[in-house]
Amino acid sequence: MNRPPQSLPVVELRVPTDEDALNWHRVFDHPDVMEFHGGTSAELSVYEELTARQRLHDAERGFCLYTMLDPADGAVIGFTGAQPWPHEWGPKGEIEIGWRLGRAYWGKGYATAAAQLALERVRKAGVRQVVAMVDARNERSLAVTRRLGMRRAETVVTPRGKRTAYCHRLDV
């Protein structure tokens, strides 16, 4: 029997505030969340720089990595959005969409729902194609790329850590 697709949860996005550096630091401080992002929690200063950079991206480009909020209670649950690929390897010069959720919010559809909202904003800003670089072992993020309709385009071995990652593409 075919089941109707589950509706996605409602999620809100906002340009990160100064306070979101601490919010991101807290919500991502879990070994499962950081497994594919260096393995250990990042220092608060990393999130301070990242949120400041995202405000600049939004002002200059009309999109950024947005803070995701649960509209039921206003809790910060993660981030999603797009930014220029920040490394010298991989899809240099392209716009990457990404997402990261606090562990308590996994498996509820938030990443897909929020990424769809972010794609709308990226499209309105005039971007015609995005990429997503995903660690080949990260099944949850690979599932999000599929739900977004992205296609695997390339396999990349990361220079640091020598991990296999998949570059997915989507015309927006």
Side-chain angles (χ1 to χ4, degrees):
M1 177 177 180
N2 288 338
R3 292 183 180 174
Q6 291 182 334
S7 62
L8 293 173
V10 175
V11 65
E12 294 177 2
L13 303 180
R14 74 169 178 223
V15 175
T17 64
D18 284 335
E19 295 79 25
D20 284 334
L22 183 57
N23 292 325
W24 290 4
H25 184 259
R26 285 181 182 154
V27 79
F28 301 146
D29 187 21
H30 191 286
D32 291 349
V33 173
M34 298 307 292
E35 178 180 3
F36 303 109
H37 305 285
T40 60
S41 295
E43 297 293 326
L44 177 59
S45 61
V46 170
Y47 294 112
E48 290 169 338
E49 188 279 328
L50 183 58
T51 55
R53 186 170 9 112
Q54 297 315 309
R55 289 189 295 277
L56 183 62
H57 286 323
D58 184 66
E60 292 178 351
R61 298 173 181 268
F63 60 87
C64 64
L65 291 178
Y66 300 99
T67 297
M68 287 193 296
L69 303 168
D70 182 340
D73 61 9
V76 171
I77 63 174
F79 68 60
T80 191
Q83 65 176 348
W85 175 250
H87 305 289
E88 291 298 314
W89 55 272
K92 187 176 175 184
E94 297 189 62
I95 302 299
E96 182 198 29
I97 186 166
W99 44 85
R100 188 180 307 170
L101 288 173
R103 181 64 182 96
Y105 304 98
W106 288 10
K108 299 176 183 178
Y110 286 117
T112 301
Q116 287 176 341
L117 288 174
L119 283 170
E120 290 174 21
R121 294 182 182 191
V122 168
R123 186 179 306 114
K124 285 180 184 175
V127 175
R128 296 295 165 237
Q129 186 179 78
V130 295
V131 299
M133 289 291 289
V134 180
D135 187 297
R137 301 166 300 147
N138 189 342
E139 288 299 326
R140 292 180 182 276
S141 280
L142 292 171
V144 173
T145 65
R146 289 189 295 272
R147 288 191 290 273
L148 293 174
M150 301 186 88
R151 67 187 188 289
R152 187 182 307 171
E154 299 147 31
T155 299
V156 176
V157 175
T158 64
R160 205 173 100 193
K162 304 298 182 196
R163 292 190 172 167
T164 300
Y166 299 132
C167 180
H168 294 79
R169 296 185 181 282
L170 179 68
D171 295 330
V172 294

